[in-house]
Amino acid sequence: MPTKIEKDAITGTDTTGHEWDGLKELNTPLPTWWLYTFYACCVFALVWVVLYPAIPVQGWTGITGWTARGAINGEMETARARTEPMLARLRSATPEQIAANPELRAYAIAGGRAVFANNCAACHGAGGQGARGGYPSLADDEWIWGGDLGAIHRTITHGIRNHDSDEARVSMMPRFGVDGVLTRAQITDVAEQVLALGNRSTDAAMAARGAPLYAENCASCHGERGEGNTDVGAPNLSDRVWLHASDRAGIAAYIANPQMGVMPAFAQRLDPALVNMLAVYVHSLGGGR
Amino acid sequence: MSHIGTSPAAPPSLYAAHRKVHPRAVNGPVRRFKWAVLMTLLGLYYIVPWLRWDRGPGAPDQAVLVDMGHGRLYFFWIELWPQEVYFLTGILVLAAIGLFAVTSLFGRVWCGFTCPQTVWTDLFMWVERAIQGDRNARIKLDAQPMSGRKAALKGATHAAWLAIAAATGGAWIMYFNDAPTVTLDILTGDATAKVYFFFGLFALTTYVLAGFAREQVCTYMCPWPRFQAAMLDNESLVVSYRGWRGEPRGKLKAEGVGDCVDCGACVHVCPTGIDIRDGQQLECIGCGLCVDACNDVMKKLDRPQGLIAFETLANIAASEAATRGMTPCKARLDAGMAVRHVPKMIRPRTILYSAVLGAVALVMLGAFMLRDMHTLAVLRDRAPLYVTLSDGAIRNAYTLKLANKTREIEGYALVLDGLPGARLVAQSAQADAAGHPLLTTRPDGLTEWRVLVTAPSGAVLPQSMPVTFRLLDGAGRQVLSTSSVFLSPGGRP
Ligand code: SF4
Ligand code: SF4
């Protein structure tokens, strides 16, 4: 320690007495404003610790009892309170009434888009574009279970072939190959006949062999000319929209061992207002009847 | 070995401590002009938000309003949308070039007369003078220890300043809100936190900048004095001291001295506290108050006016050359004044500034006259890119957005070019007699339609096909158009 404090001539500040190769360290005090800011920060920190759960020990909640979960719940509550009047109107209206009211319709489509993205897009794709292999497109004009607002609403509400809802649609297509109803050759013939329904057959003899088999086994659901039946969820076989492979081999494979799609009953997951919004949104995608 | 402790004299400090300036009152033509400018500008600032302008029902009736919430800027008959903010940029460009032009002609008239910092500081100084007295009284008051009287005078001054500051902040807020409503809200405590924040911010900055910072803003904070010298030249009219006439300065009765009696009047009135006799300086804001002060002195002494004057540096140099070596007398004055020439207004730089100013103004005006009152934009659906319908036809979906900047409801027929036989359906829109979707716009707003375009079934289409949406008015004339593409799997019927 230096015995005598030395003053630096240029700044007029005391030196600390530390010296390295002739360089001396100045003992510059903190500026006053800085010091008081520091004290103010200390006081702030103390107050903070008392008010908020600032110490990471079990049970230290601070006297305000603030929690991040509580805060987000509060925000959600506020948001819910804000949307509730509109949701109440959407809940009590039918999808048809919503679609007919420009204000409700705009709200339902905007909200339905978000609900769709959260709940439906995983299978049906963004914008309801669907995917081959059992995920129907909701933007086209072919509907397996009906495409008017009521049918769409019912499908969303109860779902398809699930165990959740007693009113879920349950009809199934028999496994013609796996269960030995038809032989492999017969199935190929029926597949050719299915192509013929859409004017796509390339082997008239084969289709002719398949025609009576089709009439006997398939027409009851899919219709004599393959026009389908939305009551039992039997798709139209004469048009250009295919849920699964559309070539002969693919159709034959499906007849032999159908892969039936499943959809949850969304009434058990979503507020009825959201189901109504979804119905109106899906109907607006382009194929609604 | 070098020792800090034994170094020679300390170098000069880099820090200039603030000297408080106590400007004296002055009267004269420049001062009167300055009051007139001050009153006009402050009057405009405080009154303009209260002007009304009828825009019909549903639209704000404030003549000048920046409506942040709805994204509209109203200026009397003009309404700008956010995407037209470049007009504001254009006005700022014009202001900058205009500033260059004026400065090259007349020096820092912006600083001296119209800059808000100058205007509000002038107003605050007037208040200070009205309450605490003129220069000498104020210097004395500042030197006194605190007393009841001093506290009362200072308190009254600050109260008046704060009142002006509050009015300034309040008026600022009115340009962004309906003036009567927001005034009432502020007074009743019903205004939003944002309003109070900006009210407080502008009140506080006014109070601090005009009450305390004053000339330090011009000297240390403002960028403009740093580069204004680049606009000035020898032919610019600037506040100058005619040293060739005034020097050698000396007391009135002294022998062989020039016209400057060294009375200090020019220094005492200067709001930035400088001595113009030291020549052109960064601190001089060109307010011309020293011109009035010195002319006053010259009048009393019965000497010709203009020892300090708005004068070009070229004239000063010419007079100086003509009078070199002469002793102070009437002949010297005449010789110096005789060689002056009328300042050259038309110089390469003023021509350049005016040309650029004119060009930008023309471009802006043209852009404004030709601006679209309607714009049409199209967004293609990305999911799905296309939809195959049951009959094999391909359908694409688009969102059309039509901005209508007028206050009229308008209807247009939508037609599509580039895809013969295509069927167009605009959701939630009627169709006209010819089967075209009829798009009816909202007034002063953006209307959206989802449009489904279906190519005829069986058409052979390329993967991507350019198409054009066109809007036709009642007479079948095209009003707007925009293009997009029609996508399909390609190559298959
Ligand atoms: S020197 Fe004269 S013109 Fe310049 S700021 Fe001072 S009073 Fe104004
Ligand atoms: S006011 Fe005029 S006479 Fe008086 S000091 Fe200034 S320049 Fe000289």
Side-chain angles (χ1 to χ4, degrees):
Chain A
M1 286 298 291
T3 48
K4 187 161 152 280
I5 304 282
E6 205 177 334
K7 250 197 198 329
D8 168 38
I10 295 179
T11 57
T13 311
D14 292 346
T15 62
T16 57
H18 304 157
E19 180 177 343
W20 294 270
D21 296 342
L23 300 178
K24 295 182 181 179
E25 187 187 6
L26 298 186
N27 188 5
T28 311
L30 277 178
T32 327
W33 67 268
W34 191 320
L35 201 62
Y36 282 108
T37 310
F38 174 66
Y39 291 148
C41 290
C42 294
V43 173
F44 180 87
L46 279 176
V47 173
W48 187 273
V49 166
V50 174
L51 291 180
Y52 288 99
I55 300 176
V57 293
Q58 199 75 46
W60 183 275
T61 57
I63 60 174
T64 57
W66 185 93
T67 61
R69 188 179 293 273
I72 188 76
N73 282 343
E75 275 174 40
M76 297 294 285
E77 207 43 64
T78 322
R80 253 195 295 279
R82 210 175 50 231
T83 50
E84 186 46 39
M86 199 64 185
L87 290 185
R89 289 174 62 190
L90 289 163
R91 211 172 285 131
S92 59
T94 64
E96 288 81 3
Q97 287 166 339
I98 296 172
N101 175 325
E103 186 197 4
L104 291 179
R105 182 175 190 271
Y107 194 96
I109 290 183
R113 181 175 292 128
V115 181
F116 187 89
N118 281 341
N119 295 281
C120 318
C123 291
H124 289 287
Q129 66 180 328
R132 278 285 166 96
Y135 309 104
S137 164
L138 305 176
D140 64 21
D141 58 348
E142 148 105 39
W143 294 91
I144 300 171
W145 297 98
D148 59 27
L149 278 165
I152 294 173
H153 184 260
R154 176 163 177 229
T155 306
I156 299 172
T157 306
H158 300 296
I160 292 159
R161 298 184 198 99
N162 59 50
H163 301 294
D164 311 334
S165 168
D166 293 342
E167 288 179 65
R169 336 255 200 171
V170 289
S171 58
M172 303 269 256
M173 171 167 161
R175 304 191 293 175
F176 290 96
V178 176
D179 293 340
V181 184
L182 297 171
T183 65
R184 184 172 287 243
Q186 285 174 319
I187 287 175
T188 317
D189 291 346
V190 172
E192 186 63 23
Q193 165 62 12
V194 168
L195 290 181
L197 294 172
N199 295 326
R200 296 192 293 144
S201 171
T202 50
D203 188 332
M206 213 172 155
R209 284 199 303 275
L213 291 169
Y214 176 87
E216 193 177 319
N217 293 289
C218 317
S220 58
C221 290
H222 287 287
E224 234 143 84
R225 289 182 310 284
E227 62 271 22
N229 181 354
T230 55
D231 291 338
V232 293
N236 185 325
L237 300 177
S238 63
D239 66 13
R240 297 300 165 85
V241 177
W242 288 86
L243 193 52
H244 295 270
S246 61
D247 59 346
R248 186 170 65 204
I251 294 171
Y254 195 84
I255 297 170
N257 186 14
Q259 310 290 318
M260 310 300 288
V262 173
M263 173 172 155
F266 278 94
Q268 298 173 6
R269 306 185 175 197
L270 299 175
D271 185 308
L274 300 195
V275 173
N276 281 347
M277 286 159 77
L278 268 181
V280 173
Y281 172 70
V282 167
H283 187 264
S284 80
L285 286 174
R289 289 174 193 273
Chain B
M1 194 173 130
S2 97
H3 269 287
I4 291 173
T6 57
S7 2
S13 167
L14 295 176
Y15 174 73
H18 176 226
R19 264 177 324 112
K20 188 166 176 192
V21 183
H22 296 90
R24 205 194 72 194
V26 60
N27 206 355
V30 178
R31 178 68 265 189
R32 279 196 294 279
F33 179 67
K34 210 162 139 62
W35 283 134
V37 172
L38 178 144
M39 264 148 29
T40 314
L41 293 179
L42 287 180
L44 282 178
Y45 177 70
Y46 288 114
I47 291 168
V48 162
W50 295 92
L51 299 180
R52 302 287 106 181
W53 188 269
D54 183 22
R55 296 189 179 84
D61 65 345
Q62 184 158 320
V64 179
L65 178 68
V66 183
D67 189 345
M68 291 288 193
H70 301 102
R72 292 286 183 280
L73 190 152
Y74 300 99
F75 184 84
F76 294 91
W77 67 98
I78 300 174
E79 275 174 45
L80 294 186
W81 285 35
Q83 59 265 47
E84 295 171 312
V85 78
Y86 58 85
F87 285 115
L88 276 193
T89 317
I91 287 175
L92 289 181
V93 171
L94 283 182
I97 304 169
L99 193 55
F100 293 178
V102 168
T103 303
S104 70
L105 290 172
F106 307 114
R108 291 176 69 179
V109 282
W110 161 261
C111 300
F113 295 86
T114 51
C115 174
Q117 174 63 24
T118 295
V119 168
W120 262 274
T121 301
D122 221 7
L123 183 66
F124 272 45
M125 285 178 175
W126 176 80
V127 168
E128 186 175 63
R129 198 177 296 131
I131 295 174
Q132 300 176 20
D134 208 356
R135 173 180 161 87
N136 290 337
R138 293 206 307 276
I139 293 180
K140 225 161 85 198
L141 188 69
D142 278 353
Q144 274 169 15
M146 188 48 82
S147 66
R149 180 176 162 275
K150 179 168 176 175
L153 289 178
K154 290 277 173 189
T157 310
H158 285 273
W161 283 356
L162 282 170
I164 298 173
T168 308
W172 180 263
I173 285 301
M174 291 174 199
Y175 285 89
F176 298 85
N177 296 275
D178 183 56
T181 318
V182 80
T183 308
L184 205 68
D185 283 353
I186 289 178
L187 294 179
T188 55
D190 288 337
T192 60
K194 199 161 75 185
V195 164
Y196 282 117
F197 173 78
F198 282 101
F199 173 78
L201 181 71
F202 280 85
L204 188 73
T205 44
T206 308
Y207 178 63
V208 170
L209 295 185
F212 303 92
R214 297 190 167 177
E215 80 286 349
Q216 298 176 88
V217 173
C218 313
T219 311
Y220 299 114
M221 288 165 65
C222 180
W224 175 228
R226 314 280 135 183
F227 64 90
Q228 52 130 3
M231 280 100 228
L232 294 170
D233 59 23
N234 283 345
E235 295 292 337
S236 309
L237 272 174
V238 290
V239 176
S240 322
Y241 167 65
R242 292 190 167 118
W244 54 268
R245 167 182 163 190
E247 300 297 321
R249 62 187 81 155
K251 287 290 162 242
L252 183 54
K253 299 278 159 50
E255 284 295 317
V257 293
D259 277 340
C260 175
V261 292
D262 209 6
C263 64
C266 52
V267 181
H268 296 159
V269 301
C270 176
T272 73
I274 56 164
D275 187 343
I276 188 63
R277 295 172 301 172
D278 295 342
Q280 296 297 313
Q281 348 176 9
L282 173 106
E283 291 88 343
C284 173
I285 59 171
C287 68
L289 293 184
C290 53
V291 174
D292 275 353
C294 186
N295 279 343
D296 227 21
V297 174
M298 291 298 122
K299 189 143 89 211
K300 285 193 193 118
L301 300 181
D302 217 9
R303 293 183 186 174
Q305 303 273 285
L307 176 52
I308 301 175
F310 287 92
E311 176 68 296
T312 67
L313 296 184
N315 277 342
I316 296 271
S319 304
E320 222 152 58
T323 58
R324 185 153 306 133
M326 294 177 80
T327 46
C329 61
K330 174 97 176 45
R332 174 170 91 159
L333 184 56
D334 292 341
M337 293 308 273
V339 296
R340 297 173 62 249
H341 64 262
V342 180
K344 285 204 211 64
M345 292 289 188
I346 300 169
R347 317 193 293 274
R349 79 166 62 226
T350 60
I351 295 171
L352 182 73
Y353 291 147
S354 318
V356 177
L357 192 65
V360 175
L362 270 182
V363 170
M364 294 299 302
L365 191 71
F368 181 72
M369 306 293 271
L370 298 175
R371 88 190 174 113
D372 292 321
M373 294 309 282
H374 301 91
T375 55
L376 179 64
V378 61
L379 289 172
R380 256 194 110 265
D381 266 15
R382 283 154 189 261
L385 284 175
Y386 53 82
V387 174
T388 307
L389 298 181
S390 51
D391 61 356
I394 302 298
R395 195 189 69 204
N396 280 204
Y398 306 81
T399 303
L400 285 189
K401 291 175 187 250
L402 178 55
N404 176 11
K405 297 176 193 169
T406 71
R407 298 206 166 271
E408 317 293 324
I409 299 176
E410 284 153 344
Y412 301 107
L414 176 69
V415 296
L416 183 79
D417 283 1
L419 197 60
R423 204 158 51 84
L424 249 69
V425 176
Q427 285 181 343
S428 62
Q430 315 282 322
D432 69 2
H436 302 306
L438 195 63
L439 306 187
T440 311
T441 66
R442 285 197 288 141
D444 185 45
L446 191 74
T447 325
E448 273 188 33
W449 296 269
R450 193 149 177 275
V451 177
L452 306 176
V453 176
T454 311
S457 147
V460 180
L461 297 169
Q463 281 192 341
S464 170
M465 192 158 178
V467 291
T468 307
F469 289 96
R470 301 199 296 132
L471 291 187
L472 309 181
D473 65 10
R477 278 187 306 260
Q478 172 174 325
V479 183
L480 288 167
S481 74
T482 181
S483 37
S484 184
V485 289
F486 186 92
L487 299 188
S488 69
R492 55 165 247 202

PDB file of all heavy atoms in Angstrom, chain A residues 211-235:
ATOM      1  N   ALA A 211     -69.287 -56.837 -64.701  1.00  0.00           N
ATOM      2  CA  ALA A 211     -70.532 -56.109 -64.519  1.00  0.00           C
ATOM      3  C   ALA A 211     -71.532 -56.832 -63.615  1.00  0.00           C
ATOM      4  O   ALA A 211     -72.046 -56.232 -62.663  1.00  0.00           O
ATOM      5  CB  ALA A 211     -71.140 -55.791 -65.885  1.00  0.00           C
ATOM      6  N   PRO A 212     -71.843 -58.128 -63.848  1.00  0.00           N
ATOM      7  CA  PRO A 212     -72.814 -58.785 -62.951  1.00  0.00           C
ATOM      8  C   PRO A 212     -72.305 -58.885 -61.515  1.00  0.00           C
ATOM      9  O   PRO A 212     -73.089 -58.742 -60.574  1.00  0.00           O
ATOM     10  CB  PRO A 212     -72.981 -60.169 -63.576  1.00  0.00           C
ATOM     11  CG  PRO A 212     -71.841 -60.341 -64.514  1.00  0.00           C
ATOM     12  CD  PRO A 212     -71.396 -58.991 -64.960  1.00  0.00           C
ATOM     13  N   LEU A 213     -70.994 -59.085 -61.370  1.00  0.00           N
ATOM     14  CA  LEU A 213     -70.437 -59.151 -60.014  1.00  0.00           C
ATOM     15  C   LEU A 213     -70.643 -57.826 -59.310  1.00  0.00           C
ATOM     16  O   LEU A 213     -70.993 -57.759 -58.127  1.00  0.00           O
ATOM     17  CB  LEU A 213     -68.944 -59.479 -60.079  1.00  0.00           C
ATOM     18  CG  LEU A 213     -68.608 -60.894 -60.554  1.00  0.00           C
ATOM     19  CD1 LEU A 213     -67.118 -61.017 -60.840  1.00  0.00           C
ATOM     20  CD2 LEU A 213     -69.035 -61.892 -59.495  1.00  0.00           C
ATOM     21  N   TYR A 214     -70.435 -56.717 -60.057  1.00  0.00           N
ATOM     22  CA  TYR A 214     -70.630 -55.374 -59.490  1.00  0.00           C
ATOM     23  C   TYR A 214     -72.076 -55.198 -59.067  1.00  0.00           C
ATOM     24  O   TYR A 214     -72.374 -54.780 -57.950  1.00  0.00           O
ATOM     25  CB  TYR A 214     -70.239 -54.297 -60.519  1.00  0.00           C
ATOM     26  CG  TYR A 214     -70.511 -52.893 -60.015  1.00  0.00           C
ATOM     27  CD1 TYR A 214     -69.551 -52.217 -59.254  1.00  0.00           C
ATOM     28  CD2 TYR A 214     -71.727 -52.281 -60.255  1.00  0.00           C
ATOM     29  CE1 TYR A 214     -69.811 -50.946 -58.760  1.00  0.00           C
ATOM     30  CE2 TYR A 214     -71.998 -51.010 -59.758  1.00  0.00           C
ATOM     31  CZ  TYR A 214     -71.034 -50.341 -59.013  1.00  0.00           C
ATOM     32  OH  TYR A 214     -71.293 -49.099 -58.523  1.00  0.00           O
ATOM     33  N   ALA A 215     -73.007 -55.560 -59.985  1.00  0.00           N
ATOM     34  CA  ALA A 215     -74.425 -55.377 -59.705  1.00  0.00           C
ATOM     35  C   ALA A 215     -74.821 -56.153 -58.452  1.00  0.00           C
ATOM     36  O   ALA A 215     -75.612 -55.679 -57.633  1.00  0.00           O
ATOM     37  CB  ALA A 215     -75.252 -55.830 -60.902  1.00  0.00           C
ATOM     38  N   GLU A 216     -74.221 -57.282 -58.270  1.00  0.00           N
ATOM     39  CA  GLU A 216     -74.596 -58.155 -57.161  1.00  0.00           C
ATOM     40  C   GLU A 216     -73.996 -57.679 -55.836  1.00  0.00           C
ATOM     41  O   GLU A 216     -74.670 -57.647 -54.816  1.00  0.00           O
ATOM     42  CB  GLU A 216     -74.088 -59.558 -57.486  1.00  0.00           C
ATOM     43  CG  GLU A 216     -74.639 -60.641 -56.600  1.00  0.00           C
ATOM     44  CD  GLU A 216     -74.122 -62.002 -57.076  1.00  0.00           C
ATOM     45  OE1 GLU A 216     -74.079 -62.204 -58.317  1.00  0.00           O
ATOM     46  OE2 GLU A 216     -73.726 -62.790 -56.227  1.00  0.00           O
ATOM     47  N   ASN A 217     -72.732 -57.285 -55.884  1.00  0.00           N
ATOM     48  CA  ASN A 217     -72.029 -57.017 -54.637  1.00  0.00           C
ATOM     49  C   ASN A 217     -71.913 -55.536 -54.276  1.00  0.00           C
ATOM     50  O   ASN A 217     -71.826 -55.192 -53.097  1.00  0.00           O
ATOM     51  CB  ASN A 217     -70.612 -57.581 -54.698  1.00  0.00           C
ATOM     52  CG  ASN A 217     -70.619 -59.087 -54.751  1.00  0.00           C
ATOM     53  OD1 ASN A 217     -70.927 -59.743 -53.770  1.00  0.00           O
ATOM     54  ND2 ASN A 217     -70.331 -59.645 -55.922  1.00  0.00           N
ATOM     55  N   CYS A 218     -71.868 -54.666 -55.288  1.00  0.00           N
ATOM     56  CA  CYS A 218     -71.489 -53.270 -55.010  1.00  0.00           C
ATOM     57  C   CYS A 218     -72.622 -52.296 -55.206  1.00  0.00           C
ATOM     58  O   CYS A 218     -72.708 -51.271 -54.502  1.00  0.00           O
ATOM     59  CB  CYS A 218     -70.339 -52.839 -55.935  1.00  0.00           C
ATOM     60  SG  CYS A 218     -69.064 -54.104 -56.113  1.00  0.00           S
ATOM     61  N   ALA A 219     -73.517 -52.584 -56.167  1.00  0.00           N
ATOM     62  CA  ALA A 219     -74.486 -51.572 -56.597  1.00  0.00           C
ATOM     63  C   ALA A 219     -75.407 -51.137 -55.471  1.00  0.00           C
ATOM     64  O   ALA A 219     -75.885 -50.002 -55.460  1.00  0.00           O
ATOM     65  CB  ALA A 219     -75.302 -52.105 -57.777  1.00  0.00           C
ATOM     66  N   SER A 220     -75.656 -52.044 -54.482  1.00  0.00           N
ATOM     67  CA  SER A 220     -76.578 -51.675 -53.423  1.00  0.00           C
ATOM     68  C   SER A 220     -76.097 -50.423 -52.693  1.00  0.00           C
ATOM     69  O   SER A 220     -76.895 -49.612 -52.257  1.00  0.00           O
ATOM     70  CB  SER A 220     -76.756 -52.839 -52.449  1.00  0.00           C
ATOM     71  OG  SER A 220     -75.493 -53.197 -51.926  1.00  0.00           O
ATOM     72  N   CYS A 221     -74.809 -50.296 -52.527  1.00  0.00           N
ATOM     73  CA  CYS A 221     -74.292 -49.084 -51.869  1.00  0.00           C
ATOM     74  C   CYS A 221     -73.842 -48.031 -52.887  1.00  0.00           C
ATOM     75  O   CYS A 221     -74.215 -46.869 -52.799  1.00  0.00           O
ATOM     76  CB  CYS A 221     -73.118 -49.419 -50.952  1.00  0.00           C
ATOM     77  SG  CYS A 221     -73.601 -50.342 -49.486  1.00  0.00           S
ATOM     78  N   HIS A 222     -73.008 -48.444 -53.844  1.00  0.00           N
ATOM     79  CA  HIS A 222     -72.384 -47.475 -54.743  1.00  0.00           C
ATOM     80  C   HIS A 222     -73.285 -47.069 -55.906  1.00  0.00           C
ATOM     81  O   HIS A 222     -72.930 -46.173 -56.667  1.00  0.00           O
ATOM     82  CB  HIS A 222     -71.070 -48.048 -55.301  1.00  0.00           C
ATOM     83  CG  HIS A 222     -69.970 -48.083 -54.276  1.00  0.00           C
ATOM     84  ND1 HIS A 222     -69.319 -46.960 -53.831  1.00  0.00           N
ATOM     85  CD2 HIS A 222     -69.439 -49.119 -53.574  1.00  0.00           C
ATOM     86  CE1 HIS A 222     -68.411 -47.300 -52.928  1.00  0.00           C
ATOM     87  NE2 HIS A 222     -68.462 -48.620 -52.741  1.00  0.00           N
ATOM     88  N   GLY A 223     -74.438 -47.750 -56.017  1.00  0.00           N
ATOM     89  CA  GLY A 223     -75.366 -47.380 -57.077  1.00  0.00           C
ATOM     90  C   GLY A 223     -75.086 -48.132 -58.350  1.00  0.00           C
ATOM     91  O   GLY A 223     -73.946 -48.521 -58.626  1.00  0.00           O
ATOM     92  N   GLU A 224     -76.146 -48.311 -59.123  1.00  0.00           N
ATOM     93  CA  GLU A 224     -76.028 -49.117 -60.331  1.00  0.00           C
ATOM     94  C   GLU A 224     -74.981 -48.566 -61.292  1.00  0.00           C
ATOM     95  O   GLU A 224     -74.212 -49.299 -61.892  1.00  0.00           O
ATOM     96  CB  GLU A 224     -77.376 -49.147 -61.045  1.00  0.00           C
ATOM     97  CG  GLU A 224     -77.829 -50.556 -61.305  1.00  0.00           C
ATOM     98  CD  GLU A 224     -79.326 -50.658 -61.130  1.00  0.00           C
ATOM     99  OE1 GLU A 224     -80.024 -50.340 -62.104  1.00  0.00           O
ATOM    100  OE2 GLU A 224     -79.756 -51.025 -60.011  1.00  0.00           O
ATOM    101  N   ARG A 225     -74.963 -47.276 -61.454  1.00  0.00           N
ATOM    102  CA  ARG A 225     -73.985 -46.660 -62.350  1.00  0.00           C
ATOM    103  C   ARG A 225     -72.821 -46.051 -61.572  1.00  0.00           C
ATOM    104  O   ARG A 225     -72.126 -45.181 -62.055  1.00  0.00           O
ATOM    105  CB  ARG A 225     -74.669 -45.606 -63.219  1.00  0.00           C
ATOM    106  CG  ARG A 225     -75.581 -46.221 -64.272  1.00  0.00           C
ATOM    107  CD  ARG A 225     -76.213 -45.169 -65.144  1.00  0.00           C
ATOM    108  NE  ARG A 225     -76.818 -44.108 -64.356  1.00  0.00           N
ATOM    109  CZ  ARG A 225     -77.981 -44.235 -63.709  1.00  0.00           C
ATOM    110  NH1 ARG A 225     -78.664 -45.354 -63.797  1.00  0.00           N
ATOM    111  NH2 ARG A 225     -78.449 -43.218 -62.993  1.00  0.00           N
ATOM    112  N   GLY A 226     -72.686 -46.477 -60.330  1.00  0.00           N
ATOM    113  CA  GLY A 226     -71.553 -46.009 -59.535  1.00  0.00           C
ATOM    114  C   GLY A 226     -71.709 -44.602 -59.025  1.00  0.00           C
ATOM    115  O   GLY A 226     -70.742 -43.919 -58.720  1.00  0.00           O
ATOM    116  N   GLU A 227     -72.962 -44.133 -58.908  1.00  0.00           N
ATOM    117  CA  GLU A 227     -73.160 -42.735 -58.532  1.00  0.00           C
ATOM    118  C   GLU A 227     -72.958 -42.483 -57.039  1.00  0.00           C
ATOM    119  O   GLU A 227     -72.924 -41.341 -56.598  1.00  0.00           O
ATOM    120  CB  GLU A 227     -74.554 -42.261 -58.962  1.00  0.00           C
ATOM    121  CG  GLU A 227     -75.709 -42.984 -58.313  1.00  0.00           C
ATOM    122  CD  GLU A 227     -76.142 -44.226 -59.088  1.00  0.00           C
ATOM    123  OE1 GLU A 227     -75.321 -44.755 -59.868  1.00  0.00           O
ATOM    124  OE2 GLU A 227     -77.284 -44.687 -58.909  1.00  0.00           O
ATOM    125  N   GLY A 228     -72.809 -43.591 -56.248  1.00  0.00           N
ATOM    126  CA  GLY A 228     -72.525 -43.397 -54.833  1.00  0.00           C
ATOM    127  C   GLY A 228     -73.764 -43.108 -54.030  1.00  0.00           C
ATOM    128  O   GLY A 228     -74.852 -42.914 -54.571  1.00  0.00           O
ATOM    129  N   ASN A 229     -73.597 -43.109 -52.701  1.00  0.00           N
ATOM    130  CA  ASN A 229     -74.722 -42.865 -51.822  1.00  0.00           C
ATOM    131  C   ASN A 229     -74.195 -42.226 -50.539  1.00  0.00           C
ATOM    132  O   ASN A 229     -73.482 -42.867 -49.759  1.00  0.00           O
ATOM    133  CB  ASN A 229     -75.438 -44.189 -51.523  1.00  0.00           C
ATOM    134  CG  ASN A 229     -76.632 -43.976 -50.621  1.00  0.00           C
ATOM    135  OD1 ASN A 229     -76.866 -42.870 -50.121  1.00  0.00           O
ATOM    136  ND2 ASN A 229     -77.396 -45.047 -50.405  1.00  0.00           N
ATOM    137  N   THR A 230     -74.553 -40.977 -50.332  1.00  0.00           N
ATOM    138  CA  THR A 230     -73.989 -40.282 -49.167  1.00  0.00           C
ATOM    139  C   THR A 230     -74.621 -40.766 -47.865  1.00  0.00           C
ATOM    140  O   THR A 230     -74.079 -40.518 -46.795  1.00  0.00           O
ATOM    141  CB  THR A 230     -74.215 -38.765 -49.295  1.00  0.00           C
ATOM    142  OG1 THR A 230     -75.606 -38.517 -49.495  1.00  0.00           O
ATOM    143  CG2 THR A 230     -73.411 -38.190 -50.446  1.00  0.00           C
ATOM    144  N   ASP A 231     -75.754 -41.486 -47.929  1.00  0.00           N
ATOM    145  CA  ASP A 231     -76.346 -41.962 -46.682  1.00  0.00           C
ATOM    146  C   ASP A 231     -75.471 -43.014 -46.022  1.00  0.00           C
ATOM    147  O   ASP A 231     -75.424 -43.113 -44.797  1.00  0.00           O
ATOM    148  CB  ASP A 231     -77.734 -42.577 -46.955  1.00  0.00           C
ATOM    149  CG  ASP A 231     -78.722 -41.497 -47.361  1.00  0.00           C
ATOM    150  OD1 ASP A 231     -78.438 -40.322 -47.011  1.00  0.00           O
ATOM    151  OD2 ASP A 231     -79.714 -41.814 -48.015  1.00  0.00           O
ATOM    152  N   VAL A 232     -74.811 -43.803 -46.834  1.00  0.00           N
ATOM    153  CA  VAL A 232     -73.971 -44.859 -46.259  1.00  0.00           C
ATOM    154  C   VAL A 232     -72.498 -44.563 -46.497  1.00  0.00           C
ATOM    155  O   VAL A 232     -71.636 -45.405 -46.229  1.00  0.00           O
ATOM    156  CB  VAL A 232     -74.339 -46.234 -46.854  1.00  0.00           C
ATOM    157  CG1 VAL A 232     -75.732 -46.634 -46.400  1.00  0.00           C
ATOM    158  CG2 VAL A 232     -74.239 -46.210 -48.373  1.00  0.00           C
ATOM    159  N   GLY A 233     -72.202 -43.393 -46.996  1.00  0.00           N
ATOM    160  CA  GLY A 233     -70.804 -43.027 -47.195  1.00  0.00           C
ATOM    161  C   GLY A 233     -70.152 -43.825 -48.300  1.00  0.00           C
ATOM    162  O   GLY A 233     -68.956 -44.126 -48.247  1.00  0.00           O
ATOM    163  N   ALA A 234     -70.944 -44.203 -49.325  1.00  0.00           N
ATOM    164  CA  ALA A 234     -70.372 -44.933 -50.456  1.00  0.00           C
ATOM    165  C   ALA A 234     -69.995 -43.932 -51.536  1.00  0.00           C
ATOM    166  O   ALA A 234     -70.867 -43.296 -52.108  1.00  0.00           O
ATOM    167  CB  ALA A 234     -71.385 -45.930 -50.997  1.00  0.00           C
ATOM    168  N   PRO A 235     -68.691 -43.772 -51.813  1.00  0.00           N
ATOM    169  CA  PRO A 235     -68.267 -42.733 -52.752  1.00  0.00           C
ATOM    170  C   PRO A 235     -68.752 -42.995 -54.173  1.00  0.00           C
ATOM    171  O   PRO A 235     -68.966 -44.131 -54.569  1.00  0.00           O
ATOM    172  CB  PRO A 235     -66.742 -42.774 -52.705  1.00  0.00           C
ATOM    173  CG  PRO A 235     -66.407 -43.539 -51.479  1.00  0.00           C
ATOM    174  CD  PRO A 235     -67.545 -44.470 -51.227  1.00  0.00           C
TER     175      PRO A 235
END
